Amino acid sequence: MSQTYPLDNVIRIADQNTKANPPAEKIVIIDVNKKKVTTASVFNPFRDLKYFLLSNTIDPRKVAESRASAITVTDFINNRTISLNVSYLAHCEPGSEEKVAEALYEDPHPGAVLNNLIARWVKDFVKASSAAEFIDNYYRVKKGELEALLTARALDEVGLSLQVKLSLVGEPLRELLNLGPVHFPVRVKDYASEQGLKLTAELQ
Protein backbone atom coordinates (compact mmCIF):
# COMPACT_ATOMS: atom_id res chain seq x y z
CA MET A 1 0.00 0.00 0.00
CA SER A 2 1.44 3.40 -0.98
CA GLN A 3 2.33 5.99 1.65
CA THR A 4 -0.16 8.82 2.16
CA TYR A 5 0.70 12.41 3.10
CA PRO A 6 -1.33 15.40 4.35
CA LEU A 7 -1.21 17.26 1.00
CA ASP A 8 -2.35 14.25 -1.05
CA ASN A 9 -5.80 15.76 -1.47
CA VAL A 10 -4.17 18.58 -3.48
CA ILE A 11 -0.87 17.18 -4.84
CA ARG A 12 -0.06 13.48 -4.79
CA ILE A 13 3.00 11.55 -5.96
CA ALA A 14 1.98 9.53 -9.02
CA ASP A 15 3.57 7.51 -11.84
CA GLN A 16 3.31 7.16 -15.61
CA ASN A 17 0.24 4.93 -15.25
CA THR A 18 -1.79 7.33 -13.10
CA LYS A 19 -4.92 8.69 -14.77
CA ALA A 20 -6.45 12.09 -14.08
CA ASN A 21 -10.11 13.08 -14.18
CA PRO A 22 -10.14 16.51 -15.87
CA PRO A 23 -10.96 19.30 -15.36
CA ALA A 24 -10.69 18.77 -11.58
CA GLU A 25 -7.43 16.80 -11.86
CA LYS A 26 -4.26 17.10 -13.90
CA ILE A 27 -1.10 15.03 -14.28
CA VAL A 28 2.04 17.19 -14.10
CA ILE A 29 5.47 15.79 -15.04
CA ILE A 30 8.66 17.37 -13.69
CA ASP A 31 12.06 16.98 -15.35
CA VAL A 32 14.20 16.81 -12.20
CA ASN A 33 17.44 17.80 -13.96
CA LYS A 34 15.89 20.90 -15.50
CA LYS A 35 13.57 21.55 -12.52
CA LYS A 36 10.78 22.29 -14.99
CA VAL A 37 7.47 20.93 -16.15
CA THR A 38 7.88 18.69 -19.16
CA THR A 39 6.03 16.10 -21.22
CA ALA A 40 6.80 12.41 -21.53
CA SER A 41 6.05 12.28 -25.24
CA VAL A 42 9.66 11.49 -26.20
CA PHE A 43 11.24 8.45 -24.58
CA ASN A 44 14.64 9.09 -23.08
CA PRO A 45 16.02 6.60 -20.54
CA PHE A 46 18.37 9.23 -19.13
CA ARG A 47 15.61 11.65 -18.14
CA ASP A 48 14.74 11.76 -14.45
CA LEU A 49 11.01 12.37 -14.36
CA LYS A 50 8.60 12.76 -11.47
CA TYR A 51 4.84 12.45 -11.86
CA PHE A 52 2.26 14.23 -9.73
CA LEU A 53 -1.53 14.22 -9.65
CA LEU A 54 -2.82 17.75 -8.94
CA SER A 55 -6.41 18.40 -7.82
CA ASN A 56 -8.00 21.84 -8.05
CA THR A 57 -11.02 23.58 -6.58
CA ILE A 58 -13.35 22.55 -9.39
CA ASP A 59 -13.84 19.67 -6.96
CA PRO A 60 -14.54 21.60 -3.71
CA ARG A 61 -13.61 18.56 -1.63
CA LYS A 62 -9.97 18.86 -2.71
CA VAL A 63 -8.70 20.79 0.27
CA ALA A 64 -5.79 19.60 2.41
CA GLU A 65 -5.44 20.31 6.12
CA SER A 66 -2.01 20.04 7.72
CA ARG A 67 0.38 21.55 10.23
CA ALA A 68 4.06 22.38 9.96
CA SER A 69 6.46 21.07 12.58
CA ALA A 70 6.91 23.38 15.56
CA ILE A 71 9.05 26.38 14.60
CA THR A 72 11.27 27.85 17.32
CA VAL A 73 11.91 31.57 17.72
CA THR A 74 14.77 32.39 20.11
CA ASP A 75 15.48 35.78 21.67
CA PHE A 76 19.07 35.06 22.70
CA ILE A 77 19.72 38.42 24.39
CA ASN A 78 16.75 38.12 26.74
CA ASN A 79 16.96 34.33 27.12
CA ARG A 80 13.44 33.71 25.76
CA THR A 81 12.15 31.06 23.37
CA ILE A 82 8.72 30.37 21.91
CA SER A 83 7.61 27.60 19.56
CA LEU A 84 4.97 28.19 16.90
CA ASN A 85 2.49 25.78 15.39
CA VAL A 86 1.45 26.73 11.85
CA SER A 87 -1.81 25.05 10.87
CA TYR A 88 -3.21 25.55 7.40
CA LEU A 89 -5.84 24.64 4.83
CA ALA A 90 -4.43 24.42 1.30
CA HIS A 91 -6.09 24.31 -2.09
CA CYS A 92 -5.05 24.78 -5.71
CA GLU A 93 -6.96 27.03 -8.09
CA PRO A 94 -7.45 25.83 -11.69
CA GLY A 95 -4.45 26.87 -13.80
CA SER A 96 -1.96 26.78 -10.90
CA GLU A 97 -1.22 23.05 -11.06
CA GLU A 98 2.12 23.31 -12.87
CA LYS A 99 3.41 26.08 -10.60
CA VAL A 100 2.53 24.03 -7.52
CA ALA A 101 4.28 20.93 -8.87
CA GLU A 102 7.43 22.87 -9.80
CA ALA A 103 7.59 24.38 -6.33
CA LEU A 104 6.99 21.15 -4.37
CA TYR A 105 8.48 18.32 -6.45
CA GLU A 106 11.59 17.68 -4.36
CA ASP A 107 12.05 14.76 -1.95
CA PRO A 108 10.74 13.39 0.27
CA HIS A 109 7.21 14.57 -0.62
CA PRO A 110 5.33 17.82 -1.40
CA GLY A 111 4.02 18.30 2.13
CA ALA A 112 7.52 18.20 3.61
CA VAL A 113 8.75 20.70 1.01
CA LEU A 114 5.89 23.09 1.84
CA ASN A 115 6.54 22.80 5.57
CA ASN A 116 10.22 23.61 5.02
CA LEU A 117 9.22 26.67 3.01
CA ILE A 118 6.86 27.79 5.77
CA ALA A 119 9.66 27.47 8.33
CA ARG A 120 11.93 29.57 6.10
CA TRP A 121 9.26 32.23 5.63
CA VAL A 122 8.73 32.44 9.40
CA LYS A 123 12.47 32.84 9.98
CA ASP A 124 12.62 35.55 7.28
CA PHE A 125 9.75 37.42 8.94
CA VAL A 126 11.32 37.28 12.39
CA LYS A 127 14.74 38.31 11.02
CA ALA A 128 13.23 41.37 9.31
CA SER A 129 12.80 42.95 12.76
CA SER A 130 14.13 40.91 15.66
CA ALA A 131 13.16 37.92 17.77
CA ALA A 132 12.68 40.22 20.77
CA GLU A 133 10.26 42.47 18.90
CA PHE A 134 8.39 39.46 17.51
CA ILE A 135 7.91 37.90 20.95
CA ASP A 136 7.01 41.22 22.63
CA ASN A 137 4.35 42.01 20.03
CA TYR A 138 3.20 38.50 19.06
CA TYR A 139 -0.43 38.78 20.16
CA ARG A 140 -0.80 42.50 19.46
CA VAL A 141 0.37 42.66 15.83
CA LYS A 142 2.91 40.04 14.80
CA LYS A 143 0.59 37.03 14.79
CA GLY A 144 -1.80 38.58 12.27
CA GLU A 145 1.02 40.02 10.17
CA LEU A 146 2.78 36.65 9.95
CA GLU A 147 -0.43 34.80 9.06
CA ALA A 148 -1.01 37.27 6.22
CA LEU A 149 2.60 36.99 5.03
CA LEU A 150 2.50 33.18 4.93
CA THR A 151 -0.70 33.28 2.89
CA ALA A 152 0.80 35.80 0.44
CA ARG A 153 4.12 33.96 -0.01
CA ALA A 154 2.44 30.58 -0.51
CA LEU A 155 0.33 32.02 -3.31
CA ASP A 156 3.21 33.97 -4.88
CA GLU A 157 5.97 31.37 -4.66
CA VAL A 158 4.08 28.07 -4.69
CA GLY A 159 0.73 28.81 -6.29
CA LEU A 160 -1.21 27.40 -3.35
CA SER A 161 -4.02 29.23 -1.61
CA LEU A 162 -3.53 28.87 2.15
CA GLN A 163 -5.66 29.73 5.14
CA VAL A 164 -3.18 29.99 8.01
CA LYS A 165 -3.65 29.85 11.77
CA LEU A 166 -0.78 30.38 14.22
CA SER A 167 -0.68 29.15 17.80
CA LEU A 168 1.96 28.74 20.47
CA VAL A 169 3.04 25.22 21.39
CA GLY A 170 1.41 24.43 24.71
CA GLU A 171 -0.94 27.39 24.45
CA PRO A 172 -4.18 26.64 26.33
CA LEU A 173 -7.43 26.80 24.43
CA ARG A 174 -8.56 30.42 24.61
CA GLU A 175 -12.26 30.17 25.41
CA LEU A 176 -14.52 32.96 26.59
CA LEU A 177 -15.83 32.72 30.15
CA ASN A 178 -19.10 34.57 30.55
CA LEU A 179 -19.73 36.20 33.93
CA GLY A 180 -23.13 37.46 34.95
CA PRO A 181 -25.36 39.18 34.55
CA VAL A 182 -25.20 40.22 38.19
CA HIS A 183 -27.94 42.56 39.48
CA PHE A 184 -27.57 44.66 42.61
CA PRO A 185 -29.12 47.88 43.96
CA VAL A 186 -27.11 51.06 44.42
CA ARG A 187 -27.73 54.49 45.85
CA VAL A 188 -25.84 57.55 44.65
CA LYS A 189 -25.20 60.85 46.33
CA ASP A 190 -27.72 63.62 45.62
CA TYR A 191 -30.35 61.19 44.31
CA ALA A 192 -32.97 59.74 46.61
CA SER A 193 -34.18 56.70 44.67
CA GLU A 194 -32.47 53.34 44.59
CA GLN A 195 -31.04 52.35 41.20
CA GLY A 196 -30.62 48.90 39.69
CA LEU A 197 -27.16 48.04 38.29
CA LYS A 198 -26.47 45.10 35.99
CA LEU A 199 -22.92 43.83 35.34
CA THR A 200 -21.79 41.34 32.69
CA ALA A 201 -18.26 40.42 31.61
CA GLU A 202 -16.35 38.13 29.27
CA LEU A 203 -12.93 36.78 30.23
CA GLN A 204 -10.42 34.89 28.06
Side-chain angles (χ1 to χ4, degrees), residues 52-179:
F52 296 92
L53 178 66
L54 278 293
S55 302
N56 61 47
T57 54
I58 290 177
D59 183 344
R61 298 169 299 176
K62 296 302 183 179
V63 176
E65 181 176 357
S66 188
R67 186 173 75 181
S69 299
I71 301 167
T72 301
V73 176
T74 301
D75 174 11
F76 178 77
I77 300 299
N78 297 299
N79 194 29
R80 297 182 297 173
T81 298
I82 62 172
S83 293
L84 300 174
N85 285 324
V86 183
S87 303
Y88 58 86
L89 286 176
H91 63 267
C92 176
E93 296 292 342
S96 296
E97 296 89 351
E98 293 186 357
K99 182 174 183 177
V100 173
E102 282 189 350
L104 302 180
Y105 76 88
E106 294 183 290
D107 292 331
H109 59 84
V113 178
L114 178 60
N115 288 348
N116 287 339
L117 287 171
I118 288 172
R120 192 187 80 200
W121 298 334
V122 170
K123 297 294 185 182
D124 289 347
F125 180 83
V126 173
K127 191 184 300 182
S129 52
S130 70
E133 182 182 342
F134 179 82
I135 293 173
D136 287 342
N137 297 286
Y138 173 75
Y139 282 114
R140 191 159 59 90
V141 291
K142 295 298 184 181
K143 179 177 181 289
E145 289 180 356
L146 181 52
E147 287 171 339
L149 177 134
L150 294 176
T151 297
R153 292 195 69 168
L155 186 61
D156 182 56
E157 299 181 28
V158 180
L160 280 178
S161 297
L162 291 191
Q163 296 178 41
V164 179
K165 181 174 66 175
L166 292 178
S167 61
L168 298 181
V169 174
E171 180 179 23
L173 188 63
R174 299 168 69 86
E175 295 182 342
L176 286 178
L177 176 63
N178 294 306
L179 302 178

Side-chain angles (χ1 to χ4, degrees), residues 29-61:
I29 306 169
I30 301 294
D31 185 319
V32 174
N33 295 324
K34 296 181 178 179
K35 302 181 180 181
K36 294 289 185 182
V37 172
T38 187
T39 63
S41 56
V42 179
F43 176 73
N44 184 339
F46 300 104
R47 297 175 77 192
D48 185 4
L49 302 180
K50 286 188 174 182
Y51 294 76
F52 296 92
L53 178 66
L54 278 293
S55 302
N56 61 47
T57 54
I58 290 177
D59 183 344
R61 298 169 299 176

